[in-house]
Amino acid sequence: MRKQIAAANWKMNLTYQDGEKLLDDILDAGISLAPHQHSIFAVPFPYLIMTRSEVAEEFNYHAAAQNCHHKTSGAYTGEVSVEMLQSIGVNYCVIGHSERREYNAETNEILAAKVNLCLQHDITPIFCCGEPLSVREAGTQNEFVANQLKESLFHLPANSLKGIIIAYEPIWAIGTGKTATTAQAQEIHQFLRSVIADQYGATLANEIPILYGGSVKANNAVELFACPDVDGGLVGGASLVASDFIAIIKALK
Ligand code: 13P
């Protein structure tokens, strides 16, 4: 079975102490994951070492960075390189979240460079795509997200693409409480998989986890994750509340 993933994106929330307590509360729930199930915590940079060591003893729980720089190293004050992440044992990194695309002017081209660097350093990119409301209203969301994949991922050889996780996050559903319907989620996830299949073949496309993000909550996760092409979620707000995120992990197929 394809990997099923409950990923938390804490964004710029929680103090170190609150983050550590949240993680403890979630891990203390003792949810044992099946071999195909994973839970990933994308935390702020200063919390990565703590998160790494908290999850170290747990089966299929992982720490992730929320971003990395697109250059290897050098005079980029305030930035964090993939090599730094690798050196502290971080194996996942969120790439191209819509908030970074918008507030940090991250282009598809810059994101392609980040994806390359991650893969060179054994870090699995959790590559985000998703359309703004205006595109959804114009009905051109398929072309929009397909282009994001093409420009940032489709230069990769098949054996590299295989190591990627995709997160579809419609911008109009992020932090708005307005979730995509299961029909909308399934339709676009299936479309994304078909775009990958056209380029790389159906076998590979069927192996890539495609997560849904955008107001995933404890009360809609089961329904969303039940969609055949939805392989879990990338969760913002609800990942900050232990009982909510526990329910979301339990909703994995
Ligand atoms: P919300 O779950 O708060 O809508 O955030 C989704 C998201 O952006 C996860 O990366």
Side-chain angles (χ1 to χ4, degrees):
M1 189 179 189
R2 227 178 1 247
K3 274 185 189 166
Q4 303 293 308
I5 299 166
N9 178 6
W10 289 1
K11 308 191 180 184
M12 197 175 75
N13 291 298
L14 305 173
T15 62
Y16 181 89
Q17 289 76 15
D18 290 344
E20 194 171 33
K21 163 114 181 36
L22 174 62
L23 211 45
D24 281 342
D25 288 348
I26 293 167
L27 296 176
D28 283 351
I31 308 162
S32 56
L33 299 172
H36 70 281
Q37 296 174 329
H38 295 258
S39 185
I40 302 175
F41 295 87
V43 303
F45 290 129
Y47 309 173
L48 275 170
I49 291 177
M50 174 274 288
T51 304
R52 255 282 293 149
S53 76
E54 290 263 344
V55 300
E57 303 291 303
E58 310 285 338
F59 178 66
N60 280 357
Y61 285 83
H62 315 274
Q66 296 177 8
N67 178 42
C68 62
H69 198 254
H70 60 282
K71 294 278 171 62
T72 314
S73 64
Y76 301 100
T77 303
E79 297 293 344
V80 172
S81 73
V82 285
E83 196 181 30
M84 293 171 188
L85 297 176
Q86 186 184 34
S87 71
I88 57 165
V90 169
N91 302 117
Y92 293 86
C93 184
V94 177
I95 299 290
H97 192 281
S98 59
E99 287 148 17
R100 294 206 57 86
R101 290 176 186 263
E102 182 178 354
Y103 307 133
N104 300 79
E106 295 192 352
T107 61
N108 291 340
E109 193 185 355
I110 287 174
L111 299 177
K114 293 189 186 205
V115 165
N116 292 344
L117 281 175
C118 282
L119 293 170
Q120 283 162 22
H121 290 82
D122 295 325
I123 293 175
T124 299
I126 303 172
F127 180 80
C128 302
C129 61
E131 79 287 355
L133 183 61
S134 57
V135 168
R136 173 63 64 163
E137 283 176 347
T140 52
Q141 63 273 12
N142 285 3
E143 292 84 336
F144 188 91
V145 292
N147 190 54
Q148 289 179 319
L149 296 198
K150 282 178 190 152
E151 294 194 354
S152 298
L153 298 181
F154 284 4
H155 61 285
L156 294 171
N159 63 348
S160 300
L161 190 89
K162 221 173 159 167
I164 291 217
I165 297 167
I166 291 174
Y168 167 69
E169 300 205 306
I171 297 170
W172 46 270
I174 295 177
T176 57
K178 196 174 159 191
T179 319
T181 63
T182 49
Q184 285 172 325
Q186 170 56 24
E187 188 186 354
I188 200 152
H189 280 230
Q190 191 174 18
F191 170 74
L192 286 166
R193 207 177 296 289
S194 76
V195 173
I196 300 167
D198 287 348
Q199 187 77 11
Y200 293 94
T203 308
L204 195 152
N206 278 325
E207 286 177 22
I208 301 209
I210 307 180
L211 317 184
Y212 169 79
S215 300
V216 174
K217 304 289 177 202
N219 63 8
N220 61 22
V222 169
E223 204 186 353
L224 282 163
F225 298 175
C227 298
D229 285 291
V230 176
D231 305 312
L234 180 56
V235 186
S239 76
L240 303 174
V241 179
S243 56
D244 288 356
F245 197 63
I246 287 167
I248 290 168
I249 299 174
K250 286 182 176 168
L252 287 175
K253 285 197 280 270

